[in-house]
Amino acid sequence: MANADRPLALITGASAGIGEAFARAYAARGFDLALTARRIDRLENLAAELAQRHRIDVMAIPADLADRAAPALILDSIAQADRSIDVLVNNAGYGLPGDYVGTSWADQQKFLDVMVTAVCALAHPCAIDMKRRGKGAIINIASVAGLVPPGPGHTLYGATKALVVRFSQSLNQELAGTGVHVTAVCPGLTWTEFHDVNGARASMGKIPNSAYQTAEAVVEEALAASAANRPVIVTGKQNRFIVGLLRLMPEDMAMREVAKRSKAFRRRD
Ligand SMILES: NC(=O)c1ccc[n+]([C@@H]2O[C@H](COP(=O)([O-])OP(=O)(O)OC[C@H]3O[C@@H](n4cnc5c(N)ncnc54)[C@H](OP(=O)(O)O)[C@@H]3O)[C@@H](O)[C@H]2O)c1
């Protein structure tokens, strides 16, 4: 990858869904890309398509973020290409179905490594370098689940997303005035492969299509929020309404509501 004048966006989880939509959006804005995920075939196809269509440079870096060595290896590949990261999109993630006590600790440890450790491990060196260069943006994909009280099952999901929200809010303030923007993005239901991967798709038939956003809509709102350096954004009018309403309720009442409604998209077996 030549050291171009174009800025570079590193996007995790770029092989599908919201991450792929970020890749397309930044490519259309003239960014070079470093795309990472486990499925290298998908990354390479996307990289070839976007490089040709937008005349940009695109690196495809295979990595499993459950491996604690992965963040440093991803950053090394980019440094070896003599590139700095102008935008980091910490997007990779998944839902771990089942109850806490019914899921092995090994699986939950991996989940924490992907959803929390990798996010912070990538953000740390990027934030240092961006601050030194006086510019840059970090976009962390959280979820409405990180802002509302939890229901039973998928037990660590909301907790990891709450951490991503709080981490982003704090880092946003820490970097205020440095030229580095930090934003947590909280989507609600979004049309991606997320609910196929977590096995909930079959039980979600009763949820109306209007409850979902497209990945492209989430990304457009995220880019506007990052440009405005908003620390947290809930995407979609409906999601903002739901979060606002639940915040007005006493927490135990809100928790009962979430427990009732999340049955459709939380598998507990
Ligand atoms: N869809 C929703 O309703 C929704 C709502 C709120 C928040 N979110 C959040 O949005 C983000 C993107 O999810 P999505 O909806 O776009 O889901 P998706 O279509 O399933 O895409 C998930 C991406 O994460 C990558 N990924 C998963 N595990 C990984 C690992 N161990 N190492 C590296 N990459 C990994 C996947 O790539 P590989 O499988 O190729 O590795 C894929 O590119 C996640 O953080 C999710 O929690 C989604």
Side-chain angles (χ1 to χ4, degrees):
M1 184 189 255
N3 193 352
D5 291 335
R6 291 179 293 272
L8 177 79
L10 165 60
I11 302 165
T12 71
S15 61
I18 296 171
E20 181 181 334
F22 267 110
R24 292 184 181 284
Y26 275 115
R29 285 161 174 78
F31 278 65
D32 286 339
L33 302 172
L35 308 178
T36 184
R38 291 166 301 182
R39 286 171 290 179
I40 185 63
D41 50 334
R42 287 203 186 197
L43 288 182
E44 283 177 345
N45 287 341
L46 182 63
E49 179 200 327
L50 295 179
Q52 196 199 20
R53 179 177 303 165
H54 299 285
R55 303 204 173 285
I56 56 170
D57 290 328
V58 188
M59 300 172 79
I61 309 172
D64 183 348
L65 293 174
D67 174 357
R68 289 209 183 155
L73 292 173
I74 293 167
L75 297 175
D76 276 356
S77 309
I78 295 168
Q80 273 170 26
D82 200 18
R83 296 299 302 265
S84 301
I85 296 164
D86 297 281
V87 174
L88 165 66
V89 184
N90 265 317
N91 162 78
Y94 63 104
L96 187 60
D99 280 1
Y100 189 66
V101 296
T103 305
S104 75
W105 175 246
D107 285 347
Q108 311 216 43
Q109 178 83 70
K110 274 189 193 167
F111 182 71
L112 291 172
D113 284 338
V114 174
M115 306 296 275
V116 175
T117 310
V119 170
C120 300
L122 286 170
H124 188 253
C126 286
I128 293 170
D129 189 53
M130 288 174 185
K131 184 179 175 188
R132 187 182 56 76
R133 294 193 296 129
K135 60 176 183 175
I138 297 174
I139 299 177
N140 294 322
I141 307 306
S143 169
V144 161
L147 297 173
V148 303
H154 297 215
T155 322
L156 288 172
Y157 186 78
T160 64
K161 294 302 194 183
L163 183 144
V164 171
V165 169
R166 292 306 197 197
F167 167 55
S168 307
Q169 286 174 310
S170 182
L171 192 60
N172 175 287
Q173 293 175 66
E174 186 180 316
L175 295 175
T178 65
V180 183
H181 292 190
V182 181
T183 300
V185 177
C186 300
L189 294 175
T190 309
W191 288 118
T192 67
E193 296 171 17
F194 183 88
H195 295 100
D196 304 304
V197 175
N198 78 6
R201 182 70 69 204
S203 60
M204 293 178 71
K206 286 188 197 129
I207 298 177
N209 287 353
S210 59
Y212 291 83
Q213 274 191 295
T214 63
E216 290 72 22
V218 169
V219 168
E220 286 308 314
E221 290 192 52
L223 294 183
S226 173
N229 197 20
R230 289 182 60 186
V232 185
I233 182 207
V234 178
T235 66
K237 268 192 209 143
Q238 286 194 57
N239 297 323
R240 286 191 284 277
F241 177 75
I242 290 165
V243 170
L245 193 65
L246 288 167
R247 279 180 173 161
L248 290 176
M249 293 180 189
E251 193 166 54
D252 54 350
M253 187 195 283
M255 205 137 53
R256 280 198 299 276
E257 275 306 309
V258 172
K260 204 162 56 185
R261 287 168 205 282
S262 63
K263 273 188 191 140
F265 47 87
R266 296 255 157 106
R267 258 189 53 206
R268 296 189 56 195
D269 51 332

